Each structure stands twice: as C-alpha cells, then as structure tokens.
Amino acid sequence: MNRPAAFLADPPQSPAVTAAYEGDVTSDGYVNNLTRVWCWRPDVLESFQAVRADLLAGSGLSPREVAVMVAATAAARDDAYCALAWGARLAELSDEATAARVLRGADADLSARENALAAWSRQVVRDPNATTESDVQRLRDAGLDDQEIFEATTWIAFRLAFATVNDALGAAPDPQLVEKAPRLVREAVTFGRPVGVHAAAAAGEAV
C-alpha cells in the first residue's frame, strides 16, 4: 500500500482515480503527491484543469509569459511545489539562470511584457486590494490588451487556488521533481514545504 502523499490518506481507488494516476505515470513517470490529494475529488481536478486550459485557449499570452507568471506567483506565495515545476518549465523556455532570477524576484533580462506580468503576479499575490488603475495601465503600456490582462489575472488567481489546496493539505514537492529541476532553479527555491518522501516510495508501485 502507498504511504499517504500529504496530511490526508490516499483516496480510495476508482476508475477516475486510476485514470488520473496513470496520466501522471505517462507524463511524468510517477504519481505526483498533489494528484493523490486532488483525487479525493478527481472530478473537481478534471474540471479545474479544463477551466485553466480553456482560459489560455486562444489567449495572446505566450507559453513563456505563462511560465514567468507562474514562477513569479509561486515564489511570491512561498510555494515550493509550483516554483520547482514551473521554474523548470521556464528554464526550458529560456535558460536556468533566467528562471532562477524570476524565482528570486529579479526580472531585468525579461521582455517588457514579461517584466510587467511578473510584477503584476507578485502584486496580486501580496495585496490585490492595493492595485490601482495606474498599475493596470502599466500592463497596457507594456503591450498587453485588456483581455490579456483579464486572462493573466485570472490565471494568477487559479494558480493561487491550486497552490493553497496543495500547501494547506501538506502536499510536498516530489523528490523526482526536485531531481529533474535545473540546479539554479533548485537553489532559488529556499521556501515552502521540504521535499516529500512519499512519492519516492510509491513510484515503483502499481497504480
């Protein structure tokens, strides 16, 4: 039997849970700790993933801009899990030094749009009630239109919701995720929950 992935026990097996686990194994080679948590309601996980995908479908935001936003959001939120995953993703789309700098809050090497999105991400995380019309205008001045600003803000909010569930219920970063992350990204993630031990034991077990 697999050890619990977080503060909750593993959910009972069902066709939906098995499908989610098998999807992780196909894409990542192991079952993610966060998937074990979310699979207490695999229907909610699937719906949430679908809504996020719909948000970006047809959006003018580039994959690299999305990665910049998530890395900045995760770091501002002290969320190690998403910071490692999306820091690695940003490193693939740029380089590991750029990704590490975004995680540390340094955006000098980013484009004007990316710089504005990173700053907006951190601002939304820290105090959404403190934003002003001038802050939104700075996004426009960087080249974002109002639909992209809505999409970016909603994406940040979705990421915050996702991270809140993971962190509150104790889903720690998977050892495999840490091993795959570039060295500079790993070194930049000095916050959040420590690496979990459960996925390593479970990785070779049948799902």
Side-chain angles (χ1 to χ4, degrees):
M1 177 179 292
N2 293 339
R3 295 179 180 178
F7 300 151
L8 303 181
D10 278 1
Q13 287 295 316
S14 71
V17 170
T18 298
Y21 286 4
E22 289 178 346
D24 272 10
V25 172
T26 298
S27 62
D28 301 328
Y30 61 94
V31 179
N32 291 275
N33 281 341
L34 64 85
T35 303
R36 297 180 188 278
V37 170
W38 279 85
C39 271
W40 275 103
R41 284 296 302 273
D43 57 327
V44 175
L45 173 61
E46 184 177 0
S47 296
F48 191 56
Q49 291 170 333
V51 170
R52 289 188 308 186
D54 287 345
L55 176 66
L56 296 181
S59 172
L61 298 169
S62 72
R64 174 165 154 155
E65 287 169 347
V66 170
V68 165
M69 284 193 296
V70 183
T73 297
R77 173 66 177 69
D78 288 340
D79 173 38
Y81 210 141
C82 290
L84 286 163
W86 283 87
R89 175 63 175 155
L90 181 55
E92 293 174 356
L93 296 169
S94 55
D95 57 73
E96 64 177 284
T98 297
R101 283 192 288 271
V102 171
L103 291 169
R104 296 181 188 277
D107 309 323
D109 296 332
L110 301 180
S111 70
R113 281 173 58 101
E114 292 166 350
N115 196 300
L117 287 167
W120 180 247
S121 299
R122 299 184 187 105
Q123 189 171 10
V124 171
V125 171
R126 290 168 181 157
D127 193 353
N129 284 308
T131 62
T132 66
E133 190 171 354
S134 296
D135 296 324
V136 173
Q137 186 58 48
R138 278 193 283 273
L139 291 165
R140 295 191 186 107
D141 293 342
L144 291 124
D145 62 33
D146 281 16
Q147 178 173 314
E148 290 171 331
I149 294 170
F150 171 81
E151 291 165 345
T153 307
T154 306
W155 180 254
I156 295 163
F158 283 175
R159 298 306 313 185
L160 285 172
F162 192 69
T164 297
V165 173
N166 296 335
D167 291 342
L169 294 178
D174 308 289
Q176 300 92 327
L177 177 64
V178 178
E179 291 169 5
K180 291 179 181 178
R183 177 181 60 84
L184 294 180
V185 168
R186 293 197 305 269
E187 292 176 353
V189 181
T190 58
F191 44 78
R193 292 195 178 279
V195 180
V197 299
H198 307 305
E205 299 181 14
V207 298

